[in-house]
Amino acid sequence: VIARTSTPNFSLQLVHFFTIIEHMRTRASLGEFELMVILALLRVGENAYGVPIAREIEASTGREVGLGSVYAALERLERKALVSSTVGEPTPERGGRAKRYFQVTGPGLRQIRRTRRTLVALWSDLPQLEGGKA
Amino acid sequence: MRSPKPPALATWILEHVTPRGKNEALTGDLLEEFGQRRSVAWYWRQVLGAVVVSLSGEMRAHWVGLSVELGLAWVWTYYSFFHLIPLLPEQVVGDSVRAASQGLVVAFNGSPRGFDPCSRSTHNLSGNGRV
């Protein structure tokens, strides 16, 4: 006699359906600002958190950068598993708030290399951009 | 001369409007930067920018649920306006509209002396001058 297995309790609620659709839209490629943030993160190296990353971008672009935008980009990158973060110790000069340190993951490095290959291929052989005249 | 402390209201907005758990590191970074070299105007700019980015990000992240909720709200408003309200007695609708309009006036201008929004004689204040 074959024992009848119990039916698995699989209930897909409406909220799960919405979440699945929302996650289907998540892009694997890097947006322009995300690319700037992840490259700045690589340049800062160890102990990279919001302030040095924003300063690095400001130094490169010459424009003020919103720390909120930097954190939003870092959170998107973390959702894509391209960066990871660890929480540090709270310090008095930060009003008792802890720092959040970010690192580029292995998939993140691979994605950066892939993006560079794509962009270099697109930038090459463009006669309209030669000579420095618009 | 630069203020030694960041605006408390801006910090409060940052901590209460942006999603809890995501803002601790951001708030700490802003306080650290402000303590080193930044102005009050910079602090406000950063806080308001962070709030806008956070809210738009939440809306983008939950666009399906938000669209459904807005659709349901629109259907409910349409249905109640054109199908439910005409079924109500005229007196009830009139009283409700009058009470709502007086509530709006009180909300914007403050309560006049002796005005009790809960009193049944409230509508006498806005009508024929007899109190």
Side-chain angles (χ1 to χ4, degrees):
Chain A
V1 178
I2 301 171
R4 188 175 175 155
T5 55
S6 61
T7 310
N9 185 15
F10 180 76
S11 59
L12 185 67
Q13 294 176 2
L14 199 59
V15 65
H16 297 151
F17 175 69
F18 292 157
T19 308
I20 290 166
I21 294 179
E22 283 159 0
H23 277 262
M24 282 165 63
R25 196 166 157 262
T26 307
R27 289 179 305 157
S29 59
L30 291 170
E32 184 189 357
F33 192 65
E34 288 172 357
L35 185 60
M36 288 166 74
V37 168
I38 201 167
L39 289 174
L41 177 56
L42 275 179
R43 294 176 76 86
V44 172
E46 285 186 15
N47 298 332
Y49 63 102
V51 172
I53 295 170
R55 281 187 186 160
E56 188 68 37
I57 298 172
E58 280 178 356
S60 304
T61 61
R63 290 197 311 249
E64 185 177 296
V65 176
L67 271 166
S69 306
V70 171
Y71 271 97
L74 286 167
E75 275 159 17
R76 286 197 301 273
L77 291 168
E78 198 166 15
R79 273 202 298 273
K80 296 175 190 175
L82 303 179
V83 304
S84 62
S85 68
T86 49
V87 178
E89 292 294 316
T91 54
E93 68 268 15
R94 297 169 57 85
R97 274 88 171 180
K99 287 178 185 170
R100 197 164 150 204
Y101 296 107
F102 292 89
Q103 304 89 31
V104 181
T105 60
L109 277 174
R110 281 196 293 278
Q111 181 67 47
I112 292 170
R113 290 195 192 102
R114 205 164 29 236
T115 304
R116 184 174 63 178
R117 273 199 304 273
T118 308
L119 290 178
V120 166
L122 285 169
W123 274 102
S124 60
D125 302 329
L126 286 174
Q128 298 95 324
L129 299 178
E130 299 297 327
K133 289 179 184 172
Chain B
M1 183 178 164
R2 196 174 71 93
S3 168
K5 281 190 174 181
L9 177 62
T11 308
W12 186 91
I13 289 173
L14 182 65
E15 289 184 323
H16 289 82
V17 175
T18 55
R20 194 176 292 274
K22 291 183 180 176
N23 54 17
E24 184 181 334
L26 173 60
T27 310
D29 282 3
L30 289 178
L31 290 173
E32 183 185 325
E33 275 285 87
F34 181 83
Q36 289 183 7
R37 55 175 183 164
R38 304 291 194 168
S39 64
V40 171
W42 175 88
Y43 194 83
W44 269 110
R45 263 199 318 275
Q46 291 283 332
V47 167
L48 296 179
V51 167
V52 169
V53 167
S54 172
L55 292 181
S56 63
E58 289 295 311
M59 285 169 69
R60 251 200 320 269
H62 304 294
W63 63 277
V64 178
L66 193 69
S67 307
V68 170
E69 284 169 9
L70 284 175
L72 289 175
W74 187 84
V75 167
W76 169 248
T77 307
Y78 180 87
Y79 185 77
S80 59
F81 195 79
F82 288 106
H83 293 90
L84 290 183
I85 290 179
L87 298 178
L88 295 173
E90 197 174 325
Q91 179 69 26
V92 173
V93 176
D95 283 353
S96 304
V97 170
R98 196 177 301 115
S101 61
Q102 285 175 348
L104 281 175
V105 169
V106 170
F108 281 102
N109 297 336
S111 179
R113 188 182 297 275
F115 179 83
D116 180 7
C118 298
S119 167
R120 289 181 62 82
S121 62
T122 294
H123 59 272
N124 289 335
L125 286 173
S126 62
N128 48 22
R130 288 180 288 138
V131 179

